Amino acid sequence: VVKELLRVVGRYKLSIEYLGTNFHGWQVQPEEKTVQGEIQRALEVILKQVGMLQGSGRTDRGVHARGQVAHFDCEDEIDVFSLRASLNGILDKDVRVLDVVEVPPKFHARFDASYRLYRYYVSTEYFCIQNETRIHLKPRPNFELMNQASDLLIGKHDFGSFCRSATSTDNKVCTVESSKWVQESRSNFWHYEIVADRFLHGMVRSIVGTLLEIGNGKRELGNIEILLKANDRRLAGPAVKAKGLVLAEVGYNLLDD
Amino acid sequence: VVKELLRVVGRYKLSIEYLGTNFHGWQVQPEEKTVQGEIQRALEVILKQVGMLQGSGRTDRGVHARGQVAHFDCEDEIDVFSLRASLNGILDKDVRVLDVVEVPPKFHARFDASYRLYRYYVSTEYFCIQNETRIHLKPRPNFELMNQASDLLIGKHDFGSFCRSATSTDNKVCTVESSKWVQESRSNFWHYEIVADRFLHGMVRSIVGTLLEIGNGKRELGNIEILLKANDRRLAGPAVKAKGLVLAEVGYNLLDD
């Protein structure tokens, strides 16, 4: 008797890749093509009882993801492999569900994420292959100097100076575990890689904009320390374009609890 | 007096990158957008007396290039840096002139090329970033077996079995210096890399198609040796799609003569 009263709800975790070029960002918006909106709609086509898709965090219009994570609840009995295939059959080619796994009901894509890894891709030479996910820098900045500046961001700091001013969040403290410029196998291709427990709105793009000013001799290296104390968005450099930014990975430690 | 009679003609070498997606290949065709055609037209806008652009070789419709090389003759006095900038100002974004250098008048982009390097990009997982230059393989082939098969292609062989039948060339002997599958930093991303003194029409794509049949258990490893003796296109595997193929490099040894 008890069994019949229980509604059996499963929670499922999705890993998602998308080319952000033609999306108005992650979050559902009326009348606009968004990643969350497209996946939610596809889920509702396939499943009868499906909850709201909850992402690990939003990405802005034009930003890409290789390892976005989201979860949803569902009362249907789900075969995860056929669900993935059905979703990818419905979704446009610029978004792919890489993986579907069942997770414990307490798992939360946003609150349980222990780190996020972003990469920002640049080139100091002319190029047209990979043009949708990389920006061309001219002139060539000083990468060694930018790496020194990147180092200064590591640790627990108030990143208010790198946060889009419209944000309502009060707590602007983030812990940056890793922050560096990496040279790729094609020597004039580089990316900036940053790992932190959380990111504020527009944070990576204004950090990259600020580092580029240092690399171009327009800002002093020591200015980074001032920015980390000022909590004033007007003091940091301008945000770089969305198209070079990729949410590469979201990490979870709590799945084994 | 003698000086006035001499027409001073310079020869110039271009290094070119293009995303082949929207081109009908390299070679000029009436009414179609081709790489050679677009660059020739741009040269004629900028320069007064300009000869025919000669490439290191043709690439098929949809094939990309990172390091295509071409030369042309010109009687104008040329500043190579401003010529590059002017060309890139005129050309669409899917083709870029990487470099312009003056070369000795005997230099020939096609006849002096000592090797060509092609790469064919694949993935064994779903993906949408880099979708324009990579194909998705399903199921996952056996890369170890394909690497054994790739090894058998190294050396001087008749590649007639891998040559599109319409080709008029009689000599189908090519010397392959290197032939291997390389795993990239993203573990399900691979590319096949082949270096040879020359390539026949459709050769890389039918080699990859044949190797994939071996990797999928549809063809025996030992069959490669038969193909290298048969000179019969009907015996090799089908050509894979153009979009995964990139002409990565063309090498010259003779510039120092």
Side-chain angles (χ1 to χ4, degrees), chain A residues 135-146:
Chain A
I135 67 159
H136 177 215
L137 296 180
K138 202 179 167 182
R140 179 192 181 86
N142 182 334
F143 285 98
E144 204 176 305
L145 200 57
M146 291 206 292

Side-chain angles (χ1 to χ4, degrees), chain A residues 90-104:
Chain A
I90 292 172
L91 291 164
D92 285 346
K93 294 271 181 194
D94 49 3
V95 53
R96 292 287 95 179
V97 174
L98 305 176
D99 201 25
V100 183
V101 287
E102 189 168 2
V103 286

Side-chain angles (χ1 to χ4, degrees), chain B residues 157-191:
Chain B
H157 304 289
D158 185 316
F159 281 87
S161 296
F162 301 98
C163 177
R164 197 173 289 186
S165 31
T167 304
S168 54
T169 328
D170 279 339
N171 174 15
K172 289 170 181 167
V173 175
C174 309
T175 304
V176 173
E177 285 172 47
S178 168
S179 162
K180 61 185 173 194
W181 287 88
V182 178
Q183 189 168 24
E184 302 176 15
S185 57
R186 187 174 176 184
S187 64
N188 290 330
F189 277 36
W190 292 75
H191 61 258

